[in-house]
Every structure is written in structure tokens, then in C-alpha cells.
Amino acid sequence: MGQFIQFAINGLMSGAIYALIAVGIVSVYKATKVVNFAHGYLIMFGAYFYFTFAVIIPGMEGAPAWLASWKPAWMVEMREGLTMFSPLGAVLDWAANIPRIVFGLLGALFCNALLGLLVERTLMRPLMGQSVFAMIMVTVGLISILSGAASLIWTADAAFVPHIAPNTPIRFELFGTMIFLFGADIVNMIIALLIFGGIVAMVKFTKGGVAIRATAEDQSTAYSMGISVPKVFSRAWVLACTTGAVAGAILATRNGISPSLGLFGFSVLAIVLMGGLDSYVGCFIAAMSVGVLEAMTQWKLGGEWAEIVPYVAVLVVIIFRPHGLMGQKEVERI
């Protein structure tokens, strides 16, 4: 029973990250009716931007010493005498990196937002009014552009980036089994859930959210009601890229960074299809379900089998519900 709970918690933490990534795909689709196949590579850029501002720039000559490592006298005194795996030591090591973590997150958010705005203005906006299929194919072509650009700009993989939260090991006994978690994973899950909930509330209750929903229903009617559809498109892309920057920073601390990180987006795209392309709630349910299913599959069958879980799950769901768990069913009249 204890092992079951251990893997279930691990699955929920992974599911929260999936939900954070999925919210970007759903936001773009709700506003533009475009499935963004390149979202995983926008997340990859967010991870590299975090690496740049949190690791590369603080390590350059001329960078302020406090940005590279903030170690006031009181912190040095507290660190002396602590064992290697001391929880307090882990917190103090994280605290020394707070300036570079904050700088990295702000830089990643700003640069990824600019990247999203650039993509929307130069690639998406000229196709407004054209076939949605053409816009989708642009996102497919964008995959090669972003992957190649990342390989040219960042010439090596990044094995280390500072954790967003203290990575303190947490142990407790449950049903006779020792449960082992990391503090950074728990905080990452909380951050992901808070951002997801905040975006859903924004779409439901704010004027900007109403504009997104109105544009999703009928762009022509939204125009006639005074809604600037191009601005809605821009906001959706910027929102997707900023959430992608946070997801990229979290994934960077969990898995390291390489151009292959962009492939992660295809697994999440399968989760979005499973939950419903236009449903935040459906994608949340699908993300949590797939996260737990992956963890249980890894427990019983091994990591190789866990990789195919999102695709098997979406195939099973769309056979019975082609529009996803909670997606809006579209009726076409001839």
C-alpha cells in the first residue's frame, strides 16, 4: 500500500506539470482554433532562457558577485558544521541561489513572451482569415526552426540549473513503507496548480477572458462587438509562452536541458486531445490521470512502457469520445 501511495504522489506531481504545459496549448486553441504543434519547443526555449539568465550570465566576467552566489556572513555561519544531506543545508544552498533564480525566471518570462509575440506577429497574423490548416502547418514548420535555432545558439546540453525551490528530501513512514519525496517537486506542483487555476479564473471572470471566449465562438461576431481579435491572438500566444517558460524552468531542474526537450510537448498534446482541446477542466483531469497511470506503469512494468501511456490513453478515449473527455462537440449542418 505504501508503494502505491508513493507512486501515486509521484504521478500527481508529474500530472500537475502536464497540466501547466497543457494550459498553453488550450489557450491558443480557444482563441485561434489552431493546434500548436510547436508548443513543446517553445517550452524548450523557456528552459534555455532560464539556463541563460540563471547560469550563463551570472558566471560571466563583470557579473555582480551577489548574482552568482549570495552568501552573507550569517548564512556562512549557519552552514558551518552541517552534514552533507542536512535539510537546513539544502535550504541554505538554495537561498544562496535566490538572486540567480529570480533573475533566471524573470529573464525567461520576458524573452519567451517576446518570442511568442514574434511568432504571432510574423507567422500567425498574416494568415488571419485563411484556412486553419495552413496555420497549423506553420506551427509544424516552426518545430524545425526552433530546434535548429536552439542548437545554434546553445551549443551544449545543460546538465545543471538551480532548483526553483529548496530540494530538501522529505521522508515519512506510511503503512509500513518509507515514503520519499523532494521538496522542490512539491513546490513545483503547487506552482503549476496555482498558475493553472489562475489562468482558468482569468478566462472565466475577466474582460480579457471573455474576449478570448467570444473570439473562440465566432471571430466575425467578436469583431462586430468591438473586440480586437488580433490582440486576443497576441495575448493567447504570449500567455502560452509565459506559462511555457515556467514549465521549461521546472523541467530543466528535473531532467536537464537539451534540444530533445521539445519532444515532451507531443506527449502533452496527446493529453490535451484526451481531455478536449477547448476544455481546461478536461485537460486537467486528463493530465492528472495520465500522470498517475504513467507512475503506476513504471512501478509495475518499467519506464519503457510508461512512455507510451499518454498515446494509449488518448486512443482509448477518442474511440468513444472523439472530442475528448470534456471537449465541446461540434455539429456541422449541411
Side-chain angles (χ1 to χ4, degrees), residues 2-24:
Q3 276 192 311
F4 174 83
I5 294 176
Q6 170 78 74
F7 280 91
I9 294 173
N10 292 343
L12 291 174
M13 290 190 293
S14 296
I17 308 303
Y18 291 154
L20 177 61
I21 297 171
V23 78

Side-chain angles (χ1 to χ4, degrees), residues 31-32 120 128 135 215 219 229-237:
T32 67
E120 192 278 328
M128 282 185 63
M135 301 176 77
T215 303
Q219 292 182 16
V229 174
K231 284 186 179 180
V232 171
F233 282 18
S234 293
R235 289 170 185 168
W237 276 91

Side-chain angles (χ1 to χ4, degrees), residues 3-248:
Q3 276 192 311
F4 174 83
I5 294 176
Q6 170 78 74
F7 280 91
I9 294 173
N10 292 343
L12 291 174
M13 290 190 293
S14 296
I17 308 303
Y18 291 154
L20 177 61
I21 297 171
V23 78
I25 299 175
V26 176
S27 297
V28 170
Y29 182 82
K30 284 181 76 71
T32 67
K33 295 299 182 185
V34 172
V35 181
N36 180 16
F37 282 88
H39 189 66
Y41 290 84
L42 294 172
I43 291 170
M44 175 198 67
F45 259 77
Y48 271 117
F49 283 138
Y50 178 67
F51 170 65
T52 299
F53 286 93
V55 178
I56 295 178
I57 293 178
M60 289 181 172
E61 286 188 32
W66 57 266
L67 184 60
S69 183
W70 178 65
K71 290 184 179 180
W74 61 268
M75 187 182 296
V76 175
E77 292 178 5
M78 290 183 66
R79 190 69 180 84
E80 291 179 358
L82 294 177
T83 59
M84 181 178 294
F85 297 104
S86 166
L88 178 58
V91 173
L92 292 174
D93 290 341
W94 168 79
N97 287 322
I98 286 179
R100 67 163 67 196
I101 292 170
V102 174
F103 187 59
L105 286 174
L106 292 177
L109 288 169
F110 179 75
C111 290
N112 236 37
L114 285 181
L115 176 61
L117 195 61
L118 178 65
V119 169
E120 192 278 328
R121 289 290 176 89
T122 59
L123 300 177
M124 296 291 110
R125 189 167 295 189
L127 294 175
M128 282 185 63
Q130 303 298 318
S131 168
V132 173
F133 180 74
M135 301 176 77
I136 293 174
M137 293 309 297
V138 168
T139 69
V140 174
L142 188 61
I143 292 174
S144 298
I145 296 173
L146 293 176
S147 179
S151 299
L152 290 173
I153 298 171
W154 296 280
T155 56
D157 296 346
F160 166 78
V161 289
H163 288 278
I164 296 175
N167 202 29
T168 309
I170 300 172
R171 301 180 182 88
F172 58 92
E173 188 173 331
L174 192 63
F175 297 107
T177 303
M178 186 63 67
I179 305 298
F180 185 85
L181 303 172
F182 284 104
D185 291 335
I186 296 174
V187 175
N188 290 341
M189 179 179 70
I190 294 171
I191 291 172
L193 294 177
L194 287 175
I195 293 175
F196 186 94
I199 290 174
V200 172
M202 181 272 292
V203 171
K204 188 173 182 180
F205 298 112
T206 67
K207 290 183 178 179
V210 172
I212 290 176
R213 285 187 285 145
T215 303
E217 288 292 332
D218 192 316
Q219 292 182 16
S220 300
T221 304
Y223 261 123
S224 65
M225 296 298 292
I227 296 173
S228 176
V229 174
K231 284 186 179 180
V232 171
F233 282 18
S234 293
R235 289 170 185 168
W237 276 91
V238 169
L239 177 64
C241 287
T242 50
T243 56
V246 178

